[in-house]
Amino acid sequence: IRNLRKSYKTRLVIRDFSMELSRGEVVALLGPNGCGKSTLMQTLASAVDGAFTADAGEVKVADGVQVATFTQDRSGIDRRATLRRALAPEGDGVLFRGRPVHVVSWAKRFLFRTDQLETPVEQLSGGEQARILIAELMRRPADILLLDEPTNDLDIASLDVLEESLLDFDGAVLLVTHDRYLLDRVCDSVLGFTGDGTIRRYGDYAQWLRERDKSSGEGGN
């Protein structure tokens, strides 16, 4: 990403931002609501899709790179389908990193019991439905994951599954979340959004917090 500049309506949300995102990196995006975190991810996704839109700058993407996005919108799940079919839509298993995995093993990976496989999705809890979404995300071929508030409304078991899945993912991840524990566990660095379009990179959440509090004069905890 080189000298990216992007406005939303009449407000500049990304000002002359540059960075390189490499395989294996997990980067958190931090800042107040409306500061440009989602805009940055949408801009990157548009560049991969060949529909790049920005006011200035460029995003260069390696050939063949694929992006997957995680959303908390569960409307895409067929609630009438069984858990078996939701986890493995095309047969008795899934293809994960080029290898076939039986649906029973795939279900256990996401904390489902074998006796739940014929249960309709509509009878599963919200946390269980969230784990279906995580399973779908992880079986999709992707080099970059864009996760915008993936921890919202997740139960503890689902949070653990998400964390383990991110640690196991060998591509790059951009992550927006308010979950401090998840940030500390999985992220290699942090992008701090100031709200005026400036984006700075920090080593971790604590460093960003200290800089934010120092700039605002809060002293901070």
Side-chain angles (χ1 to χ4, degrees):
I1 306 170
R2 295 180 181 174
N3 302 317
L4 184 66
R5 179 177 287 251
K6 178 77 173 180
S7 298
Y8 181 71
K9 295 184 178 179
T10 59
R11 187 165 65 88
L12 184 65
V13 292
I14 301 174
R15 182 195 306 272
D16 302 326
F17 173 64
S18 299
M19 72 168 290
E20 181 175 313
L21 185 63
S22 301
R23 180 175 179 172
E25 280 191 282
V26 181
V27 182
L29 279 56
L30 301 177
N33 291 337
C35 67
K37 302 186 296 293
S38 296
T39 299
L40 177 60
M41 290 203 295
Q42 291 165 3
T43 302
L44 295 183
S46 72
V48 174
D49 292 340
F52 175 64
T53 57
D55 303 330
E58 63 178 347
V59 178
K60 290 189 175 181
V61 184
D63 292 341
V65 164
Q66 299 182 76
V67 169
T69 302
F70 182 85
T71 174
Q72 283 298 304
D73 180 8
R74 296 168 191 163
S75 61
I77 300 178
D78 184 355
R79 295 172 58 82
R80 296 170 298 178
T82 62
L83 173 62
R84 178 189 296 273
R85 192 53 57 227
L87 291 174
E90 299 175 359
D92 291 329
V94 301
L95 197 63
F96 180 59
R97 296 182 180 174
R99 297 181 178 181
V101 180
H102 193 271
V103 66
V104 172
S105 298
W106 190 243
K108 289 180 179 178
R109 180 186 180 96
F110 297 95
L111 306 184
F112 292 108
R113 304 186 310 275
T114 304
D115 62 7
Q116 290 181 288
L117 286 174
E118 303 308 324
T119 302
V121 170
E122 62 186 359
Q123 295 181 19
L124 299 175
S125 69
E128 289 169 331
Q129 292 182 28
R131 296 206 297 275
I132 293 174
L133 290 175
I134 297 171
E136 178 185 2
L137 176 71
M138 298 313 297
R139 70 178 174 81
R140 290 168 58 186
D143 306 287
I144 302 174
L145 299 182
L146 303 178
L147 310 181
D148 196 350
E149 298 288 3
T151 60
N152 284 357
D153 302 323
L154 295 190
D155 56 24
I156 293 176
S158 301
L159 285 169
D160 289 342
V161 167
L162 177 62
E163 178 188 324
E164 291 173 6
S165 297
L166 293 181
L167 290 172
D168 190 46
F169 181 66
D170 60 1
V173 179
L174 287 183
L175 169 67
V176 177
T177 180
H178 292 97
D179 190 315
R180 170 72 182 271
Y181 180 78
L182 183 66
L183 287 175
D184 289 340
R185 286 279 293 155
V186 307
C187 293
D188 303 300
S189 62
V190 164
L191 295 179
F193 290 66
T194 62
D196 65 355
T198 302
I199 306 172
R200 297 189 178 95
R201 196 158 189 169
Y202 300 91
D204 56 23
Y205 178 88
Q207 185 185 24
W208 169 78
L209 193 62
R210 288 193 300 270
E211 181 68 19
R212 187 200 65 172
D213 292 345
K214 180 180 177 181
S215 299
S216 63
E218 294 173 359
N221 49 6

